[in-house]
Amino acid sequence: MSDEDAGPSLADAFFAPEPAPRSPVAGGRADFDPEDWGAFRALAEQVAAACVDRIEGARELPWRPTPDLVKFELDEPAPTGGAPLEQVMGRVLSDIMPHATGNTHPRFFGWVHGTGLADGLLAAMVEAAMNSNCGGRDHAALYVERQVISWMCGLFGFGERASGVLVSGASMATLYALLAARRRAREVCGDEIAAERLTVYAAEGAHACVDKACDVLGLPARNLRKIPLTQGRRMSLRALRSMLARDRDAGFTPMAVVGTVGGVETGASDDLVKMAGIAKAEAVWLHVDGAFGAWARLARGPWRAQADGIDRADSLGFDFHKWPSVNYDCGCVLIRDGDLHRRTFSNRPNYLTSADDGLAGGDPWFCDYGLELSRSFRALKVWIALKTHGLERLGAVVDKCCRQARRMADRVQAARGLSLCFEPKLNVVCFRPDAPELSDAEADALVTRAAAAMQRAGEAVFSTARIDGRMALRAAIVNHRTRDADIDAAVAAAEAVCLRLRGLRGAT
Ligand SMILES: *Cc1c(COP(=O)(O)O)cnc(C)c1O
């Protein structure tokens, strides 16, 4: 019998030194830190360089379909053991990073997608290093968010008593605003007021996030009154007034009117000045959805007037990830009555009590101004972007995009076989093939195919929208990277693809 077979005696086991740490193989460790910080640093530098290359080369990288092999490889069982980080990051750089939405490309005009900022890369790194939880407590991140909110209250004329909070986007901002509006209605009419009695008013064509917010609030769908548009594609205020009167007569309690600056389909804006007058006279909450359009307030050109009256709203939602190009995601809601805002959301159990001193200080906490308790440090990328570029440059980008929308409209009118759906008011341009040989249904199908063909070819990204019942190619230009030549090339591509799909020879 060898010694080994005998095994350690009890005494041996008792007097044995602490076992040496197990070798850091998969499954043998119980922490997540790198084993070798030097190797990690080298890898981090490599990844950072690849990311900088990716942004610097954004002009050469339009959207591309995700290869089937990549999709296949992204359908595997959950890993039980780990793999070396170099290997995992290698796959990220080769398989995932090149197949993004494409909104970093200068000829991306689809939906309303922000383009992103190079400084966002640095913000993301610092944000990850700090790993702050911005629900509350006393740390620098909260002072940064408060700074951003106070800048925005100043910019949009929300005054000293206003408050705000950063959210994922304008959809969430709309929900928060309507929750505050309902709080107001309950404080006036009593908590027991039934959702069936509450009504909300928005123009036909208002963003679907208004429908979703009303649904979350438990309002029956019909209690969101869709007010018809005028010829100028803004809410008919005559119709709004008569609907309000009719609802009051029928025993409803009008809770909120939602105005839009920068409508998602056409870029048109409601007459916020007059709406604010009506809302005040009727004692109804005015929420403004300014997801991208609110930034018209920074324009120097004629587009600025679209945002007139925004400073009279009770609440405003807007996105940093659209026109300001702050990297996804970040929106903001401002509420004029900051105390009401807090009463809407503050509901802190004892384990979240704040203190006068220490880390549990720093009142007010952002968790009292929204639904999220744990929150990321969204404010950092916004603060860095605003400090770096300043409001003036942001205004210049807004001007540039609106001028480019005008240029796109002019090019469309000069193109063969395309027709403009309306004169652009801000930064949204819609057009469709002018194809007398096709039925309406065929022309609609052609639009969808043309959009997909241009996307697949990496020529330009337009989305589609139904304007006056007919499909159109739609560009919402919030792209700081777009140059005039990109506008010309995109319209030329649309002209050529529409002619080709109609079986006609291109002009060029
Ligand atoms: C984009 C947009 C929204 C939704 O914003 P998200 O940030 O995507 O949640 C709402 N309203 C309008 C007018 C928009 O353009």
Side-chain angles (χ1 to χ4, degrees):
M1 247 167 106
S2 72
D3 289 343
E4 249 182 79
D5 285 335
S9 73
L10 243 182
D12 282 343
F14 192 77
F15 291 110
E18 288 270 334
R22 291 183 61 179
S23 69
V25 293
R29 297 172 54 215
D31 71 73
F32 299 127
D33 276 334
E35 284 164 49
D36 176 349
W37 283 99
F40 178 79
R41 185 179 299 271
L43 177 65
E45 282 166 4
Q46 243 178 302
V47 172
C51 290
V52 174
D53 287 348
R54 169 72 179 76
I55 300 175
E56 193 184 0
R59 231 157 231 291
E60 274 68 56
L61 189 63
W63 173 81
R64 298 190 297 210
T66 308
D68 286 341
L69 183 62
V70 171
K71 293 183 197 167
F72 175 77
E73 287 181 342
L74 285 171
D75 187 17
E76 61 183 7
T80 38
L85 182 60
E86 301 78 53
Q87 203 179 311
V88 175
M89 290 312 297
R91 254 187 84 186
V92 170
L93 298 189
S94 66
D95 292 357
I96 299 173
M97 191 159 78
H99 303 109
T101 329
N103 45 329
T104 55
H105 189 262
R107 289 198 296 282
F108 188 103
F109 311 117
W111 305 277
V112 195
H113 279 21
T115 311
L117 301 169
D119 35 283
L121 184 57
L122 308 187
M125 260 169 50
V126 177
E127 187 192 337
M130 291 174 72
N131 194 31
S132 297
N133 185 333
C134 295
R137 305 175 190 85
D138 197 355
H139 49 104
L142 296 198
Y143 294 88
V144 175
E145 183 159 349
R146 276 185 212 135
Q147 170 74 94
V148 167
I149 298 292
S150 100
W151 286 341
M152 293 303 110
C153 286
L155 171 61
F156 292 112
F158 263 60
E160 292 289 300
R161 294 183 46 236
S163 63
V165 63
L166 298 184
V167 290
S168 60
S171 303
M172 204 49 79
T174 303
L175 174 61
Y176 281 21
L178 292 186
L179 281 163
R182 182 177 68 181
R183 174 81 200 181
R184 160 78 54 79
R186 284 180 171 174
E187 289 184 359
V188 172
C189 305
D191 263 341
E192 57 287 349
I193 184 155
E196 286 72 24
R197 303 315 303 164
L198 297 171
T199 46
V200 173
Y201 306 78
E204 272 169 17
H207 195 276
C209 68
V210 181
D211 303 65
K212 283 194 188 178
C214 290
D215 192 25
V216 172
L217 264 64
L219 268 57
R222 62 183 178 280
N223 286 25
L224 170 55
R225 314 295 196 204
K226 296 284 176 72
I227 310 295
L229 302 178
T230 64
Q231 292 289 317
R233 298 176 193 278
R234 16 172 60 179
M235 183 192 287
S236 159
L237 299 182
R238 185 181 308 167
L240 172 65
R241 278 201 198 86
S242 68
M243 199 71 199
L244 282 164
R246 200 141 43 111
D247 281 341
R248 287 220 199 268
D249 288 347
F252 288 102
T253 299
M255 184 185 97
V257 176
V258 179
T260 302
V261 49
V264 67
E265 282 172 347
T266 65
S269 304
D270 292 326
D271 185 339
L272 300 178
V273 174
K274 290 214 179 101
M275 280 173 88
I278 295 173
K280 184 150 196 239
E282 297 268 347
V284 180
W285 184 280
L286 175 63
H287 173 66
V288 172
D289 178 0
F292 62 92
W295 299 105
R297 193 168 168 88
L298 288 172
R300 268 160 293 173
W303 308 283
R304 187 188 172 94
Q306 301 286 311
D308 283 354
I310 211 169
D311 50 354
R312 293 174 60 185
D314 293 293
S315 56
L316 170 67
F318 57 92
D319 277 323
F320 287 104
H321 59 218
K322 287 181 177 167
W323 234 327
S325 277
V326 168
N327 296 53
Y328 281 96
D329 53 21
C330 191
C332 180
V333 61
L334 301 181
I335 310 265
R336 185 173 301 282
D337 181 344
D339 292 336
L340 177 83
H341 186 184
R342 188 173 180 144
R343 289 199 299 280
T344 305
F345 294 104
S346 66
N347 172 18
R348 266 204 243 165
N350 60 32
Y351 50 82
L352 291 174
T353 317
S354 49
D356 295 335
D357 195 15
L359 178 56
D363 208 51
W365 290 6
F366 280 104
C367 64
D368 293 331
Y369 292 86
L371 297 170
E372 294 171 328
L373 175 55
S374 293
R375 306 173 62 246
S376 70
F377 188 9
R378 289 196 179 99
L380 182 65
K381 56 196 175 186
V382 177
W383 185 84
I384 291 174
L386 291 172
K387 288 286 282 182
T388 304
H389 306 293
L391 295 176
E392 254 175 44
R393 187 179 302 164
L394 177 48
V397 168
V398 170
D399 275 326
K400 181 211 75 143
C401 291
C402 293
R403 264 200 310 275
Q404 287 178 331
R406 183 65 256 171
R407 182 185 184 95
M408 183 178 279
D410 292 342
R411 297 279 144 162
V412 163
Q413 280 170 316
R416 184 168 156 224
L418 297 179
S419 79
L420 194 63
C421 299
F422 51 81
E423 294 297 327
K425 291 253 170 33
L426 204 61
N427 61 330
V428 178
V429 182
C430 292
F431 59 97
R432 61 169 67 98
D434 191 11
E437 79 280 12
L438 300 181
S439 71
D440 286 2
E442 287 167 339
D444 287 354
L446 180 93
V447 165
T448 314
R449 284 172 60 209
M454 282 186 278
Q455 292 161 9
R456 273 198 313 271
E459 292 171 324
V461 173
F462 292 91
S463 50
T464 59
R466 215 169 257 285
I467 306 294
D468 303 326
R470 302 283 312 281
M471 291 297 276
L473 291 164
R474 171 176 159 285
I477 308 174
V478 290
N479 195 324
H480 67 88
R481 206 161 277 145
T482 304
R483 297 175 186 158
D484 287 357
D486 293 309
I487 297 289
D488 300 355
V491 176
E495 178 184 21
V497 75
C498 288
L499 290 175
R500 182 162 53 76
L501 291 173
R502 288 166 62 197
L504 301 175
R505 206 172 266 280
T508 45

